Amino acid sequence: MGLGVLEPSRSEKVPGTSFVYDDTSRPTQDGELDSRLKYDRSGAIPIILVPQPSDDPNDPLNWPLWKRDMILVILSILSVIASTLSPLLAANTVTLSLLFNKDFAAMALATGYHLLGVGVAGFLFVASARVWGKRHLYLLGTVLIIASSAWGGSTAYNYKSLVWARVIQGVGLAPFEALVNASVGDLYFVHERGKRMALSNLALFGGAFFTPILVGKITHTIGWQWSFYLVAIFCATMLPFLFFFVPETAFRRDDSFNIDIRGEESVQHGTALKNRTANGDPNPSSSIEKQPGTVSEGSSPASVSPKVSFARSLLPFNGRKTDENLFKLVLRPLPLFLHPAVLWACLIQGTLIGWTVMIGVVLAAIFLGPPLWYSEVQTGYMYTGPFVGAVLGFLLAGLLADWSAKVMIKRNKGVYEPEFRIVLVVAQMVFGCAGLYGFGITSYDVNRYGWFWPDFFFALEVMGMVLGAVASALYVVDAHREIAVEAFTCLLIFKNVFSFGLTWGAYNWIVAAGILKVFYITASVQVGICLLSIPMYILGKKNRAFFNRHDVLKMTHLW
């Protein structure tokens, strides 16, 4: 048992568990490195690269770090722009309800249908990403955002036209919300992902909280239409960068290189190598066999695939990434809702996102009315707190994610367990649940507490939200990378359908039950959800082993 993570009852390879030479007690100190494995030698102690890169120059893991980081920065900037779409109406919901002659709940549903568009499109796009890669979807999403944002700004006061523009905006947002985290898994090794995953999540969520700050002012000065037009303009500016500098990140790599998916074979290999070397065996077999298209001892460089030309890399498609049936891939995420790890990730990430959307829906109703009588500009400024909370949350997540994993790896004698990522949920529970309780108490009595304390607790809630988002995304990628794309689809569907349900009924629920009672309930539910992380941490490895033996996708003939 490693640091409280229970071992499976039988000896077997467990996907996700990997052997990382990152401890002074490991054989690397004696120079006993396997020449057939590749290492990160930038530090004092070499670290096994997980997953192992092939020798193919088209493998994204072989690209220079500056190139991989450039790709991530471009995708992150586009994610910031795309993420502005969901809260685009948050600060001026009441204003638009007057202009469109619709009640508050109807205008809130313009956001709800947008979220539904994200969920449905993501469900279809992820299957397409599995077959043809992610580049064509990033390009399609960007073009759709440009077109639908221009449409949204030109709807005049036609409510149906605005709603349909919002739905198409959701379709354009879907590739970024569904696939950017998976691209981090394509581009980086396990020990490089923590900070990058924090950055990608900051882009996806941080921009969402900065938007209302600007939208209130934009609406007040040049008109609500320009909140749509500016999105189209900024997205159009980024389109050339996406087209020329973001090649396909999906790559068909032989399974033998995925030592994180193959699991404890990598751990067993480390032990076997040391034992066989000690016994005088001059040629211990490597856990990575020679594969067609890779360079190893005795192979010819001519067997390596030629590097794809720059012109060819600009194509939206560059071949199939799998030979699997597209229809099966569309259906594949659905059984994963029965997978404990995926369901845990949906709850950890999705519920706090839903509560955040709910706060956004009711914020205007709370502060635009008595006793504060805020304008849309002042209501927009109320998002300064959650924006700061998002930035602080991701800075904290970035610092804790890799640091905590390295500390636990050392304590576990160089063996990495994905459950080490779950410890971030402790911070989520502290900040997120305190934020929900505090927001309910202070917004219930704004006469007494004013605007500052609700905004402060909103910031704490958002800090918790982003910590949970990073923890769940890292755990999914590290523990179940072979189904990470489908798992992220489940997260996408859950959080958007859940958020849609809250936009549908949150306002009426708060009117009927009162702010204090509603937020006591939501905060208590969130505490219970966070506590599910305890059995997930303890039993996570057993769960990985069980579902490796009893693959729910193979049982349903979807793999």
Side-chain angles (χ1 to χ4, degrees), residues 439 498 515 553:
F439 182 84
F498 182 65
I515 294 173
L553 296 180

Side-chain angles (χ1 to χ4, degrees), residues 193-194 197 401 416 421 424 469-479 488:
R193 289 177 190 159
M197 192 72 79
Y416 170 70
R421 302 294 195 181
L424 281 176
V470 172
S472 58
L474 282 171
Y475 184 69
V476 165
V477 168
D478 290 356
F488 282 125

